[in-house]
Amino acid sequence: MRLLAALLAVALGVAVFVLGGADDSPGLQGIGAVIVAGAAVLLVRAVRRDRHRL
C-alpha cells in the first residue's frame, strides 16, 4: 500500500512540475520537485522495508 502511495505521489509531483513549466511558474515547479523528492524517499523506504521483511 505504501508503495502504491509513493508511486502516486511521484506521478503527482511530475504532473505539477510539468504544469509549472507550461505556465512558466518557478514556484510551482519547485513544489513539484519537492513532492517528487519526498516521494522518492518514501518509495526507497517502502522498497527497503518490504525487502527486509522477506
Side-chain angles (χ1 to χ4, degrees), residues 38-53:
V41 169
L42 292 176
L43 185 62
V44 168
R45 289 180 66 190
V47 168
R48 291 179 79 188
R49 191 173 293 157
D50 286 344
R51 286 188 180 170
H52 181 64
R53 289 183 186 178

Side-chain angles (χ1 to χ4, degrees), residues 12-34:
L12 175 69
V14 169
V16 168
F17 188 83
V18 169
L19 288 174
D23 192 24
D24 199 26
S25 172
L28 191 58
Q29 283 182 321
I31 291 170
V34 169

